[in-house]
Structures are given as structure tokens and as C-alpha cells.
Amino acid sequence: MTFQSSIRFGVLSLLGMAAGALAQSDYMPPMSGWPAAIQTAWQVQGEYYGSQVQDTTQHVGAWVISRGGTGYSLVILPGGLLSLPGQPYGGWNPVNTRYQGASGPLTVTLNGVAMTGTTSTGGFTSDSLTGSGENRTLYVHTASARYVLQRVKRQSPTLGLKYTQVANIVPTGSTLLSLFDSATGTADLTKWVAGENAVQLKYGLLYRGIKTSQKFNRYFLHIEFLSCFNPTATGQGRANSGVYAQGRYESQVLDSFGLSGAVDEYGGLYSIQAPSVNAELPPQVTRQTYDIYFTPRTSSAAAYFTVYANGVKVQDSTVANITGTGAYISLGTTDEALYLQNHGNEVVFANAWMITSATTQSLPYTGPNSILAAAGIGGTSPIKGSLLIRPLSRKKIDALGFGGTLDLMGRKIIRNGKILSMQPTVLNVPANH
């Protein structure tokens, strides 16, 4: 089947009759204490994946996003869901169009009550969304085909990766540092001090609004977070927090599941650079992960970031010359603490650790899959997607005559104190490889 690629991004809202007004609140586990309508909203929201009835080789993915008492938003992804390393149901190429806009009837059956609204799709029309509990089925069709999609659950490939599993790959001159392990949570609180919030532990995990007692320079950071579920909130009021490198540069934390991937959404360097794609998974289904390579500002060069959100590269040697709104410390070259922003929403963090580095060479670019492979997890399969990007080899660098050393991201060649822009090696591979 041929998918149209010229559909412009639009706004989709599946407006439905509310079963009752939902009070705005940040919902955290256990779910058994949530109001029935909120539980149902969470059970309907999520990632959906399926195939064409007439040709089962033709796949499609969908994001269904709860909008509280006003229904659900729907995004159709041709080819499947966003590919996550080591996870099933991928196939959507982010270069392609995702379908949004208003057209056609939708029927969502919730608690035995049929709720009608509108959907968007650029050729797709939603027929119904049925089922109970967490087992939901979405039916859509085009002019020539029908599709059946099931609600699925996925997780980040680096979820649960422990600092003890990477001890064998810590380079000489670097230090492996555990910042928070839930198994030793109370003891680990000595590594944190009050920032915007005096409470350090909630729901058994690290609470937002605090900072590390130690100050850092160059590092690789792994950190996981669990967002609250608040279907009645919108925009920046939906599970908002942030991970601040040196208190200056914010890697945004937000429930931006199903959104476009803006500079103020998950994966974005706030006010600096939007993520290359929205890699957010539904809140409360799983913890989200950040794997961040950070090269700090020096007196002659800006800071750099390479960021993986749920295992997907969303920032590639992004230059950070400015600091985002709400940062604590002005631009400078000194070591500073890691901050977890308090933006008022319930967000908790877990499994935080660093590989700190004293020199530009001691922490080479690898990417989460290489870290997983070194830790003996998941083999050596490449990161999936339309592009597989790897750093330039030393042989190629020497052949180009640049010499010098690689920085933290392995993408810049440092010579005579200057950072030179280089293009990485790019391999074309199938989007569903």
C-alpha cells in the first residue's frame, strides 16, 4: 500500500462525551487508588500496533493520548511505531509523515458507553476502539484497506542498566559513580542536598527538586524517571521536570507522549534544541530513560550534548551556548552540581549513575547499545532506524589529516584548542531493521 507523504501536520482532537468531570491531579502508583475514570483513561491511552487485514505485511502504529474528560488524541504512524533498540513493533520512519487532522467518525467504547468524536488521518479513518482493562483494540480503515491494532507495551533498552554492569568499560582516568540505586536508596540520599525541595525520597524513589552534593565536569549520565499520569493537564503542566547539567542546561522531562517533539518536550534541550524525534513512551507504563554525554563549556568552546531518550538518539553533538529558562547558574566553566527540577508535578527518578571523566579522550562516544553489549545485555545489534550513525574511525581521522583527539561525543576533532565540525559516517539501513 502506498502512504501519502504530503499530508501537513495538523491538530487532532478526538472530542468525546465525558463520563464525568475529572479533577486535575497528578496520579502516581498504586493505580488501585485512582478514580475509575482515570484508570480507564490510562488503560485506553498507549501505543497501538497492527497490520492490514488484506495484507498482513503492511503495518501501522498509533499513539492514543488521553485528554481527560474531553476524549483522546490520535496519531497514525505508517509502517509501525517508532523503532526502539531491541524492542518490537518498530517500523515508522520519523522522516515520513505522521497523520493528524480532522476527518471521519470515531467510536470509543468506555465502561460500556459509546463515545463519538472525530479523528484525523490523511487517508485513515478510525472506526472504533474497543476492549476492557489494558486489552484494547483500535480499528481503522482507508479507502481500500482495513487495519486492526492492539495496545502494546514497550520499554527503553537501557531501563534498569546498573552501574555495576558497566564497571569493565570505565576508561582509565574516569570514575564510575552511583548517584542513586533504589536498593540503597536511603543511604544514597547522602549524595543529594536540598535544592528547590527539601524532600529527597518519595514513593521509594528520588524526588524532584534536589541537587547532587558533588559537582561535576565532563560525564556520561544514565538516569531514569517515572512521570505522573494527569490526563486533564496540557502542555507544560503535564509531568514537568528537568535534568540540569551543571545547573545550566536542561534536558526536558515532560509527559509529551504523542506530541510533535518540540524544544520544551522530552528529549529537548530546553530553549536550545528540539529533539530529532519524540521518543516518549506512555507515562506510568514504564520508566523513561536518559543517557547523556556531556562535554562542558570551556573558556574557548561551548558545551556539547549527545542525548539518547529511551535508547533513541535525539541530540547529536548539540551545541549549548545558552542556558534554558529556570537554570540556576549563569554560564561559566566551573564544575557544578546536577539538578533535578521541581516544576510542581509529581516526577521521581531512579537508577542514576555517572562515568565522570577528567580528559576529553577518556570517555569515548559509544551509545547505549555499545554500553549494553559491554555489559553483556542484548548482544551487539545496531540501533534501529532509518539511519545508523557511528563516529569516525581513527584510521579515517588520520587519513583526513586532522589529527588531534575526539571529544566526549566522538564527533568533533580538537586541534590547537579548537573544535572542528565533522560529519559522522552514516550507513543507510532499513527503517525496520
Side-chain angles (χ1 to χ4, degrees), residues 96-258:
N96 294 344
T97 302
R98 59 188 233 162
Y99 297 132
Q100 302 183 135
S103 71
L106 170 73
T107 300
V108 181
T109 302
L110 298 178
N111 298 329
V113 178
M115 297 164 52
T116 59
T118 57
T119 185
S120 75
T121 50
F124 287 86
T125 299
S126 297
D127 297 318
S128 63
L129 199 162
T130 63
S132 61
E134 297 178 32
N135 298 314
R136 304 282 171 163
T137 304
L138 174 66
Y139 300 89
V140 300
H141 74 268
T142 64
S144 59
R146 293 184 297 120
Y147 293 80
V148 180
L149 291 78
Q150 302 294 329
R151 185 175 183 267
V152 298
K153 291 184 179 181
R154 303 190 297 167
Q155 66 182 36
S156 167
T158 63
L159 180 69
L161 181 63
K162 296 291 187 179
Y163 66 97
T164 53
Q165 295 173 289
V166 301
N168 62 320
I169 65 169
V170 177
T172 301
S174 297
T175 301
L176 179 62
L177 176 66
S178 175
L179 296 176
F180 183 82
D181 186 330
S182 57
T184 54
T186 302
D188 284 346
L189 293 184
T190 59
K191 301 169 185 175
W192 298 84
V193 296
E196 303 165 297
N197 186 7
V199 178
Q200 295 174 287
L201 201 66
K202 199 166 186 180
Y203 312 107
L205 298 176
L206 198 63
Y207 203 34
R208 82 289 194 271
I210 59 178
K211 63 181 179 180
T212 57
S213 55
Q214 185 174 342
K215 296 181 178 181
F216 304 104
N217 192 276
R218 181 179 291 102
Y219 58 74
F220 166 83
L221 168 69
H222 173 88
I223 192 166
E224 303 169 10
F225 64 91
L226 184 68
S227 299
C228 62
F229 178 54
N230 187 346
T232 63
T234 59
Q236 298 295 294
R238 200 155 164 147
N240 195 326
S241 183
V243 177
Y244 275 88
Q246 295 191 322
R248 302 183 180 104
Y249 315 102
E250 179 185 6
S251 292
Q252 175 77 324
V253 170
L254 189 78
D255 172 14
S256 49
F257 171 63

Side-chain angles (χ1 to χ4, degrees), residues 83-85 87 155-159 225 266 279-282 286-291 308-314 368:
S83 293
L84 302 181
Q87 291 289 294
Q155 66 182 36
S156 167
T158 63
L159 180 69
F225 64 91
Y266 172 56
E280 182 99 2
L281 293 168
T286 180
R287 290 203 298 261
Q288 320 281 337
T289 66
Y290 261 138
D291 291 282
Y308 289 79
N310 287 329
V312 177
K313 186 189 298 169
V314 294

